[in-house]
Structure formats: structure tokens, C-alpha cells
Amino acid sequence: MTDLTPNNSFLIAGIIFITIAVIGKSKLAFIEINPGFFGRLLALFIGISSLLYALGLLNFSAGTLDLLRTSLTEQIKQSISSINELLQGS
């Protein structure tokens, strides 16, 4: 028997959420699934992101997050300095 790795878990969860988004209102034995419009939209978003993560397209590492954080702080500093220049110039 194979082990259930996180990659397989995201693949299974993605398939389940995509199925809920596509089918919508249904009955499974004694369980009724009726997510509504926003529930189906949320299930579609979660399903697609789970499948992308399982395929490795949405894999974020710590280095990527650090790079994102430093670039974001640099952009904030630049925008604050440009706003200060505009305020002092007028």
C-alpha cells in the first residue's frame, strides 16, 4: 500500500473541490451538498490552487518569500519617498 504524501493529499483535495464546484447541488447517500454560488466559486478556487500546488506550480520556498518581502519593502520605501517629494514640491 502506498503512503499518503502531502502531494497526493493536495491532488485528492483538488479533485474533490473541483467536483463540488462543477456538480453543485447533489445528494450522496444521506449527505446533501448545496454550496450555493459563492461556495462553488470558493470550491473552484481551492480546487485549482490545490491542483497547482500538487503539480508543483504553486510551490513557494522560504527564499521566494524572503525575496518577495524585501522587494515589497523596497517598493514601499520608494513610494513613500516619492509621495514626500510631491508633498514638499507643492
Side-chain angles (χ1 to χ4, degrees):
M1 183 140 205
T2 61
D3 292 331
L4 192 63
T5 62
N7 199 21
N8 289 343
S9 300
F10 279 107
L11 185 64
I12 292 169
I15 292 171
I16 290 172
F17 278 111
I18 293 287
T19 305
I20 289 172
V22 170
I23 292 176
K25 184 176 180 179
S26 64
K27 275 194 171 185
L28 178 65
F30 59 91
I31 300 172
E32 183 176 345
I33 301 171
N34 187 9
F37 174 74
F38 292 110
R40 290 176 74 176
L41 190 65
L42 182 64
L44 181 67
F45 177 73
I46 292 172
I48 289 173
S49 60
S50 294
L51 289 176
L52 287 175
Y53 186 81
L55 292 174
L57 300 175
L58 204 62
N59 244 342
F60 290 120
S61 63
T64 307
L65 292 177
D66 288 338
L67 179 65
L68 180 66
R69 186 177 355 162
T70 55
S71 67
L72 198 63
T73 55
E74 288 298 320
Q75 288 178 358
I76 289 172
K77 287 178 185 176
Q78 288 175 357
S79 64
I80 287 175
S81 65
S82 64
I83 288 172
N84 284 337
E85 288 175 5
L86 283 174
L87 290 176
Q88 289 175 1
S90 55

